[in-house]
Short mmCIF file of all heavy atoms in Angstrom, two decimals:
data_model
loop_
_atom_site.label_atom_id
_atom_site.label_comp_id
_atom_site.label_asym_id
_atom_site.label_seq_id
_atom_site.Cartn_x
_atom_site.Cartn_y
_atom_site.Cartn_z
N ALA H 15 -95.69 108.92 -20.52
CA ALA H 15 -94.30 108.71 -20.10
C ALA H 15 -93.36 108.70 -21.31
O ALA H 15 -92.25 109.25 -21.25
CB ALA H 15 -94.18 107.41 -19.32
N SER H 16 -93.82 108.10 -22.42
CA SER H 16 -93.02 108.06 -23.64
C SER H 16 -92.77 109.46 -24.18
O SER H 16 -91.66 109.79 -24.60
CB SER H 16 -93.71 107.20 -24.70
OG SER H 16 -93.85 105.86 -24.27
N PHE H 17 -93.81 110.30 -24.18
CA PHE H 17 -93.66 111.67 -24.67
C PHE H 17 -92.83 112.52 -23.71
O PHE H 17 -92.06 113.39 -24.14
CB PHE H 17 -95.04 112.31 -24.90
CG PHE H 17 -95.65 111.96 -26.22
CD1 PHE H 17 -96.47 110.85 -26.35
CD2 PHE H 17 -95.42 112.74 -27.35
CE1 PHE H 17 -97.03 110.51 -27.58
CE2 PHE H 17 -95.97 112.41 -28.57
CZ PHE H 17 -96.79 111.30 -28.69
N SER H 18 -93.00 112.27 -22.43
CA SER H 18 -92.31 113.12 -21.45
C SER H 18 -90.80 112.88 -21.40
O SER H 18 -90.07 113.67 -20.80
CB SER H 18 -92.91 112.89 -20.05
OG SER H 18 -92.69 111.57 -19.60
N ARG H 19 -90.31 111.84 -22.03
CA ARG H 19 -88.86 111.64 -22.10
C ARG H 19 -88.20 112.73 -22.94
O ARG H 19 -87.02 113.05 -22.73
CB ARG H 19 -88.55 110.27 -22.69
CG ARG H 19 -88.98 109.10 -21.80
CD ARG H 19 -88.46 107.77 -22.32
NE ARG H 19 -88.99 106.67 -21.52
CZ ARG H 19 -90.00 105.90 -21.87
NH1 ARG H 19 -90.60 106.10 -23.03
NH2 ARG H 19 -90.44 104.92 -21.07
N ARG H 20 -88.94 113.30 -23.87
CA ARG H 20 -88.41 114.36 -24.72
C ARG H 20 -89.06 115.71 -24.45
O ARG H 20 -88.46 116.75 -24.69
CB ARG H 20 -88.61 113.99 -26.20
CG ARG H 20 -87.97 112.69 -26.66
CD ARG H 20 -86.45 112.81 -26.71
NE ARG H 20 -85.99 113.86 -27.60
CZ ARG H 20 -85.85 113.72 -28.92
NH1 ARG H 20 -86.12 112.55 -29.50
NH2 ARG H 20 -85.40 114.71 -29.65
N ILE H 21 -90.33 115.67 -24.00
CA ILE H 21 -91.12 116.88 -23.84
C ILE H 21 -91.32 117.16 -22.36
O ILE H 21 -91.90 116.34 -21.63
CB ILE H 21 -92.49 116.76 -24.53
CG1 ILE H 21 -92.33 116.35 -26.00
CG2 ILE H 21 -93.27 118.06 -24.41
CD1 ILE H 21 -91.56 117.31 -26.84
N LYS H 22 -90.84 118.31 -21.89
CA LYS H 22 -91.01 118.70 -20.49
C LYS H 22 -91.98 119.87 -20.34
O LYS H 22 -92.16 120.37 -19.22
CB LYS H 22 -89.66 119.07 -19.88
CG LYS H 22 -88.62 117.95 -19.93
CD LYS H 22 -89.09 116.70 -19.19
CE LYS H 22 -88.03 115.60 -19.23
NZ LYS H 22 -88.50 114.34 -18.57
N ASP H 23 -92.62 120.29 -21.42
CA ASP H 23 -93.60 121.36 -21.38
C ASP H 23 -94.92 120.80 -20.82
O ASP H 23 -95.62 120.03 -21.49
CB ASP H 23 -93.81 121.94 -22.78
CG ASP H 23 -94.69 123.17 -22.78
OD1 ASP H 23 -95.61 123.25 -21.96
OD2 ASP H 23 -94.47 124.07 -23.63
N GLY H 24 -95.26 121.20 -19.60
CA GLY H 24 -96.45 120.67 -18.94
C GLY H 24 -97.73 120.98 -19.68
O GLY H 24 -98.68 120.19 -19.65
N SER H 25 -97.81 122.12 -20.36
CA SER H 25 -99.02 122.49 -21.09
C SER H 25 -99.25 121.58 -22.29
O SER H 25 -100.39 121.21 -22.59
CB SER H 25 -98.93 123.95 -21.55
OG SER H 25 -98.82 124.83 -20.44
N ILE H 26 -98.18 121.21 -22.97
CA ILE H 26 -98.29 120.27 -24.09
C ILE H 26 -98.73 118.90 -23.60
O ILE H 26 -99.64 118.28 -24.17
CB ILE H 26 -96.95 120.17 -24.85
CG1 ILE H 26 -96.66 121.46 -25.61
CG2 ILE H 26 -96.96 118.96 -25.80
CD1 ILE H 26 -97.50 121.70 -26.82
N LEU H 27 -98.13 118.44 -22.52
CA LEU H 27 -98.50 117.13 -21.97
C LEU H 27 -99.94 117.14 -21.46
O LEU H 27 -100.65 116.15 -21.61
CB LEU H 27 -97.53 116.73 -20.86
CG LEU H 27 -96.07 116.50 -21.31
CD1 LEU H 27 -95.17 116.26 -20.10
CD2 LEU H 27 -95.97 115.33 -22.28
N ALA H 28 -100.36 118.26 -20.87
CA ALA H 28 -101.74 118.37 -20.38
C ALA H 28 -102.73 118.32 -21.54
O ALA H 28 -103.79 117.70 -21.45
CB ALA H 28 -101.92 119.66 -19.59
N LEU H 29 -102.38 118.98 -22.65
CA LEU H 29 -103.23 118.96 -23.84
C LEU H 29 -103.31 117.55 -24.41
O LEU H 29 -104.39 117.10 -24.82
CB LEU H 29 -102.68 119.93 -24.88
CG LEU H 29 -103.50 120.15 -26.15
CD1 LEU H 29 -104.89 120.66 -25.81
CD2 LEU H 29 -102.78 121.13 -27.08
N LEU H 30 -102.21 116.85 -24.42
CA LEU H 30 -102.19 115.47 -24.89
C LEU H 30 -103.05 114.58 -24.00
O LEU H 30 -103.81 113.74 -24.49
CB LEU H 30 -100.75 114.96 -24.93
CG LEU H 30 -100.50 113.60 -25.56
CD1 LEU H 30 -100.98 113.56 -27.00
CD2 LEU H 30 -99.01 113.24 -25.49
N ARG H 31 -102.97 114.78 -22.69
CA ARG H 31 -103.78 114.01 -21.75
C ARG H 31 -105.27 114.28 -21.98
O ARG H 31 -106.09 113.35 -21.98
CB ARG H 31 -103.40 114.34 -20.31
CG ARG H 31 -104.20 113.55 -19.25
CD ARG H 31 -103.79 113.94 -17.84
NE ARG H 31 -102.48 113.44 -17.50
CZ ARG H 31 -102.24 112.21 -17.03
NH1 ARG H 31 -103.25 111.35 -16.84
NH2 ARG H 31 -101.01 111.84 -16.73
N LYS H 32 -105.64 115.54 -22.17
CA LYS H 32 -107.04 115.88 -22.45
C LYS H 32 -107.54 115.16 -23.70
O LYS H 32 -108.67 114.67 -23.74
CB LYS H 32 -107.20 117.39 -22.64
CG LYS H 32 -107.18 118.21 -21.37
CD LYS H 32 -107.41 119.67 -21.69
CE LYS H 32 -107.43 120.53 -20.43
NZ LYS H 32 -107.68 121.96 -20.74
N THR H 33 -106.70 115.12 -24.72
CA THR H 33 -107.06 114.44 -25.96
C THR H 33 -107.30 112.95 -25.73
O THR H 33 -108.27 112.38 -26.25
CB THR H 33 -105.96 114.64 -27.02
OG1 THR H 33 -105.80 116.05 -27.27
CG2 THR H 33 -106.30 113.94 -28.31
N LEU H 34 -106.44 112.33 -24.95
CA LEU H 34 -106.58 110.90 -24.66
C LEU H 34 -107.81 110.61 -23.81
O LEU H 34 -108.44 109.55 -23.97
CB LEU H 34 -105.32 110.39 -23.95
CG LEU H 34 -104.02 110.37 -24.74
CD1 LEU H 34 -102.84 110.08 -23.82
CD2 LEU H 34 -104.09 109.34 -25.87
N LYS H 35 -108.16 111.53 -22.91
CA LYS H 35 -109.23 111.29 -21.94
C LYS H 35 -110.58 111.88 -22.37
O LYS H 35 -111.51 111.95 -21.56
CB LYS H 35 -108.84 111.90 -20.59
CG LYS H 35 -107.56 111.33 -19.97
CD LYS H 35 -107.73 109.90 -19.54
CE LYS H 35 -106.51 109.39 -18.77
NZ LYS H 35 -106.66 107.95 -18.39
N SER H 36 -110.71 112.29 -23.63
CA SER H 36 -111.92 112.99 -24.07
C SER H 36 -113.17 112.11 -24.06
O SER H 36 -114.29 112.60 -24.05
CB SER H 36 -111.71 113.59 -25.46
OG SER H 36 -111.41 112.58 -26.40
N GLY H 37 -112.99 110.81 -24.12
CA GLY H 37 -114.13 109.90 -24.08
C GLY H 37 -114.66 109.56 -25.46
O GLY H 37 -114.23 110.09 -26.48
N VAL H 38 -115.64 108.67 -25.47
CA VAL H 38 -116.22 108.16 -26.71
C VAL H 38 -117.74 108.25 -26.62
O VAL H 38 -118.33 107.94 -25.58
CB VAL H 38 -115.80 106.70 -26.96
CG1 VAL H 38 -116.48 106.13 -28.20
CG2 VAL H 38 -114.29 106.58 -27.08
N MET H 39 -118.38 108.68 -27.70
CA MET H 39 -119.84 108.73 -27.77
C MET H 39 -120.32 107.57 -28.64
O MET H 39 -119.98 107.46 -29.81
CB MET H 39 -120.32 110.05 -28.35
CG MET H 39 -121.84 110.25 -28.27
SD MET H 39 -122.44 110.36 -26.55
CE MET H 39 -121.79 111.94 -26.05
N THR H 40 -121.11 106.70 -28.03
CA THR H 40 -121.69 105.57 -28.74
C THR H 40 -123.21 105.68 -28.72
O THR H 40 -123.77 106.65 -28.20
CB THR H 40 -121.26 104.23 -28.10
OG1 THR H 40 -121.87 104.12 -26.80
CG2 THR H 40 -119.75 104.16 -27.95
N GLY H 41 -123.87 104.68 -29.26
CA GLY H 41 -125.33 104.66 -29.23
C GLY H 41 -125.88 104.59 -27.83
O GLY H 41 -127.05 104.92 -27.59
N GLU H 42 -125.05 104.16 -26.90
CA GLU H 42 -125.46 104.03 -25.50
C GLU H 42 -125.08 105.24 -24.67
O GLU H 42 -125.29 105.27 -23.46
CB GLU H 42 -124.85 102.77 -24.90
CG GLU H 42 -125.28 101.49 -25.61
CD GLU H 42 -124.60 100.26 -25.07
OE1 GLU H 42 -123.73 100.42 -24.18
OE2 GLU H 42 -124.92 99.14 -25.53
N GLY H 43 -124.49 106.26 -25.32
CA GLY H 43 -124.11 107.48 -24.61
C GLY H 43 -122.61 107.62 -24.45
O GLY H 43 -121.82 106.90 -25.08
#
């Protein structure tokens, strides 16, 4: 929401969302 106040390019926002949702790999998977 903070980025979308200035950025209306859906592809940029989608790329940012993918980056945030990429997940984490730990010793438990």
